[in-house]
């Protein structure tokens, strides 16, 4: 292994820069050079590269976003796109490629691995935590804490005004963020796409809580459950309790990574370099039962990670 | 002056609790007792009171929201409502009333002052900063900083993805929050209700910045400018640059007050008690040119505070 | 099981309140009443109790410290003290006691378990993370993040002034906090009590870094390594590079718990109640390989938790 | 005016970068180029310059520290040093110099102005707020809020353990930071160098508070009052209440500037450029009674800014 290429793909996640730093410095210890491709797969197609040295990744461990930038690129998914990318890798003498991203990025990497001689490894980085095979992804802990901090503030107003707030959090089609945020802010109700619900049940719970003296309430809803505007309206109409919606937006993606996101970035960065240096390929660095290991693109891309429904049950028990 | 009543009215603002604490402890130094009316004017109508002692306001200086809670109450604005409130004040032997709130609360207090013998004073507390006669209100500095912190995070994603973000901030019909947040996050464009704009100009600026190498951008828009969803759509269609909307919601109202919001709460709390103790009435504690003074309900309620347009000009100059 | 008593003992840790909340509400679901003993073991000796109901633990999930307060009490460790405590438990019909604290608290609980009929369970809560048998304690993640946030700020000055900073963090006799903080702030050097070091090696590393262009540097030192004042002086004298010491003090113990500390508090609270309800005793709730389980007082108190030295090695590799 | 030079001198303060950004972009609007001197006066002596363009100051508004770096340099205060600096300015065709720093920096600038033809202006940036002629300096508001946030956390432990904490804050020989932090955290006692105190009085106040039921307490002490270690020891011995010292260190200098520090940086940056462009010299940008104005080096350097003792009186009244 002489040269490793790095690409960040899909949405950005806090800790991606810490992962880039880890890759570069661990590679250096193995005598491997590192270059970065800019703006996701686009950089591979159009040969936009930047040199990454131990000094050039100095001072980025705490920065949100990604210094390599990222984009959502459709051209890469075509035969022609992958062809161009292969040429770029060959031209740059890249014999190992590390893809930092989420499950969409890994599916693309999986396809690409069939068409290139370059060995590929993955590092799971997405605030959504929806990558099969790893207990946690880089950025998840940061996004959870950003959500918790925001909702702690909203509760001030909820309590002061005896209001119900629906807080919509990110997570795309999944409820990992909503479940963990909901549990740790003490939400009265958590709504996730994985569990069907009827608005009437939500209203019933609110009315029961109100009757028991809990006049304000927080509902944490995953963006994947559908129209939260309509839900807020419906709740207010049925319960006659003032109900407001607050959508936690893109701030959830940014900010300084938490210690845990930086820690995962560091150990995953090391693992990915070592996979490649050891001659392994098509592996995603993963955390399983507190240990760093690898999961194949093949397995990770085919399977869907399960949401632990016991979290929701516990949250319900604890909010009474 | 034997007993002062305190009420928080309208929306909550960070620092209201610090003001309550200041009132209680300054009053104590003057040998004056304090009681609190709960849930805004409702507490005056229905005689819901709580005793406020130097010990009971311990540990609240840093809490967001208001321990007295607040509400928006229409009954108070009727003759009958004010009648009941007068009776409540008499029953509780309240000879001075301090109203903590925004301009809506002061208009109500102004009306009420004509119908009661109790002397009334006001303390301006609203994140919107739209009270005429004071350079700053309690909570404004906190809401500005909350907005700035959020947008600093959003910029991570904007830069990583070369995107334009419209960030809608609070402020009701006014642009005080948007102007100060926009200036201090280095927004490329600031949109406030006080200044008419054409979407085409916004698009032009974005395209010019893009041509000059500024590929990402932040537009800070006051909620009072109208439909930001439509604006985001229009910008994306015209500029072909990915444009996202993020609405900074109710978290802006909550959270620990900043030092400055606590400072204003402390000096305004002291001023309001002293107004009443000195036999003055219908005065709102105010900051003018760095000094604490008073402005009459009469004057404050009739006039509209001007937004300093030089802030916008400076922001424009600094974002180039 | 009719009544569970709860006591927080030793130093406070962020998340203790979230654990109290979890205990009370899970107990409620099992039909078990809960009372709290105030100020640690002192409350058991002097029968200072407070009722804990699902409503009285409302709004504490995000509060640092402990509503039960805590103290370091020597009397409890005497036969007479334990005798009094037994009587208190009997008088209050407490048939299960949950001790929230660190290893000192568990050693005391272990002794006490031999002298009382009340079943005892433990919940590990200490920022030091030095409880054998659990991968993590409540409060550790919060204290790590507090340290990281502070050091991110100090790096601004270190970089601006080309200075070396020694930052002393907590951890008592152990290096868990220093190792994780050091790794995640990108410290150039980490000093822990578990690894002997010579000041000369530290100076050598600093001089090597300086020669390689790294003019500023952060040394994270555990409080357990000894006199950091003297070390700072020695480094400055030997390297001729300005060296400053910053001691991260008690703020590390406080503050809102992170999501992870609240999560652990919630699952440990549930586990401890269930241990007692299921007739088990002398078990500490523990996290092992990502799963919640129990470890006996006996085992936990006899053994010393090992610091994973690979963290230090990785930190060294990543700071080059 | 063709070219303005910028130098940051003395200790760093959050908001210095925002001031550099403002200078560069306002200068650009006036058709003036800007260069930066690195590492304070050292850069002027050794001709270490960096070009500063509107693009190169992009993304620094929120960064702590100073991209120009700073140092404490004694050589500049010699005739020879100033001679060299004059030559550097001439060589670089700098016809205006802006010095960003505190009163020490302005005294040096004042001396230097007598020996160079280059017009000089100053921007007050120091967390200590001890520059005569301006109500506030860049960085002060940030350092106050950093202190307040830390002490809010320490209070968790103080309350949980019924302890007294002395918290030493920065401020060099002055008490501006201590007074504002003390007032806004609700400190029971504030100690500043401007007011003599006897340790016995401090003990008396603590004992009185304790007798009145206030078992914990926060003393905010300016670093300028002397040996806080000894004071903590003395208090504990006399009052028999556990007393701990926490020294808020260099983190107070760093971190993202608050909105207010960025605002001051923006308006001061604009003012300084305009002074020079208008042919004025030897003026420091200043905030007086809420308005931006200028104060001469001559006046500012000769006079000592007074601490408003009413703040201390108010803090005392409010902590009862």
């Amino acid at each position: 292994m002489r040269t490793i290429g790095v690409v960040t793909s899909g949405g950005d996640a806090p800790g991606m820069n810490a992962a880039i730093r880890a890759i570069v410095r661990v590679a250096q210890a193995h005598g491997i050079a590192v270059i970065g491709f800019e703006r996701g797969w686009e950089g591979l197609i159009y040969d936009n590269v930047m040199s990454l040295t131990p000094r050039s990744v100095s001072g980025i461990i705490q920065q949100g976003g990604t210094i390599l930038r990222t984009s959502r690129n459709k051209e890469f998914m075509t035969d022609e796109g992958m062809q161009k990318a292969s040429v770029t890798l060959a031209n740059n003498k890249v014999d190992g490629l590390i893809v930092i991203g989420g499950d969409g990025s890994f599916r693309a990497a999986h396809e690409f691995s069939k068409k290139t001689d370059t060995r590929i490894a993955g590092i799971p980085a997405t605030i959504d935590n929806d990558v099969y095979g790893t207990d946690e992804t880089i950025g998840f802990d940061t996004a959870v804490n950003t959500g918790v901090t925001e909702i702690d503030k909203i509760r001030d107003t909820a309590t002061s005004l005896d209001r119900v707030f629906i807080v919509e959090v990110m997570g795309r089609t999944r409820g990992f963020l909503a479940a963990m945020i909901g549990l740790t802010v003490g939400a009265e109700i958590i709504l996730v796409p994985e569990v069907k619900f009827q608005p009437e049940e939500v209203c019933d719970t609110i009315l029961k809580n109100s009757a028991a003296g809990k006049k304000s309430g927080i509902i944490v809803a995953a963006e994947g459950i559908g129209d939260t505007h309509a839900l807020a309206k419906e709740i207010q109409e049925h319960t006659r309790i003032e109900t407001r919606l607050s959508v936690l937006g893109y701030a959830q993606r940014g900010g300084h990574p938490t210690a845990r996101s930086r820690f995962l970035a560091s150990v995953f960065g090391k693992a990915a370099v070592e996979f490649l240096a050891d001659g392994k390929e098509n592996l995603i660095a993963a955390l399983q039962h507190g240990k760093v290991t690898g999961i194949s693109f093949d397995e990770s891309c085919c399977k869907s990670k399960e949401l632990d429904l016991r979290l929701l049950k516990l949250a319900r028990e604890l909010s009474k």
Side-chain angles (χ1 to χ4, degrees), chain A residues 32 55-56 91 93 129-130 150-151 175 195 211 213 222 229 237 252 261 301:
Chain A
I32 303 170
R55 282 291 62 70
S56 75
N91 286 348
K93 296 186 179 146
N129 200 26
D130 57 353
E150 291 305 285
I151 297 176
V195 181
H229 280 274
E237 276 170 14
Q252 276 192 282
S261 288
C301 293

Side-chain angles (χ1 to χ4, degrees), chain A residues 145-182:
Chain A
N145 277 290
T146 301
V148 165
T149 303
E150 291 305 285
I151 297 176
D152 281 352
K153 291 180 185 175
I154 290 173
R155 202 177 269 285
D156 288 339
T157 292
T159 309
S160 295
L161 288 166
D162 293 343
R163 271 186 190 165
V164 168
F165 275 89
I166 302 183
V167 186
E168 182 187 311
V169 301
M170 288 194 159
R172 291 192 307 157
T173 61
R174 304 301 308 274
F176 295 100
L177 270 177
M180 188 55 88
I181 291 173

Side-chain angles (χ1 to χ4, degrees), chain A residues 29-48:
Chain A
H30 283 75
I32 303 170
V34 181
I35 62 171
F37 294 99
E38 296 184 281
R39 288 181 51 80
W41 301 117
E42 203 181 293
L44 270 97
I45 297 176
Y46 298 107
D47 200 2
N48 293 327

Side-chain angles (χ1 to χ4, degrees), chain A residues 117-258:
Chain A
D117 293 333
T118 301
R119 289 204 289 267
I120 308 185
I123 292 179
T126 160
I127 63 166
D128 303 323
N129 200 26
D130 57 353
V131 176
Y132 180 87
T134 184
D135 293 345
E136 197 171 330
T137 55
I138 297 169
F140 177 65
D141 185 64
T142 307
V144 168
N145 277 290
T146 301
V148 165
T149 303
E150 291 305 285
I151 297 176
D152 281 352
K153 291 180 185 175
I154 290 173
R155 202 177 269 285
D156 288 339
T157 292
T159 309
S160 295
L161 288 166
D162 293 343
R163 271 186 190 165
V164 168
F165 275 89
I166 302 183
V167 186
E168 182 187 311
V169 301
M170 288 194 159
R172 291 192 307 157
T173 61
R174 304 301 308 274
F176 295 100
L177 270 177
M180 188 55 88
I181 291 173
L183 173 64
T184 55
V185 297
E188 277 73 20
I189 295 167
I190 301 173
L191 302 176
V192 295
E194 289 85 352
V195 181
K196 286 248 150 57
F197 72 92
Q198 299 300 328
E200 299 81 54
E201 298 166 61
V202 174
C203 294
D204 280 357
T205 307
I206 292 168
L207 289 170
K208 250 185 239 165
N209 285 346
S210 174
K214 267 207 158 184
K215 283 174 187 165
S216 64
I218 300 282
I219 300 171
V220 173
E223 59 177 326
I225 65 152
D227 187 343
T228 48
H229 280 274
L231 180 64
K233 217 175 139 194
E234 191 168 347
I235 292 173
Q236 178 159 322
E237 276 170 14
H238 280 62
T239 65
R240 304 263 166 163
I241 296 174
E242 272 197 90
T243 304
R244 292 286 182 278
L245 172 66
S246 203
V247 179
L248 294 190
Y250 287 86
Q252 276 192 282
R253 288 206 175 283
H256 297 278
T258 57

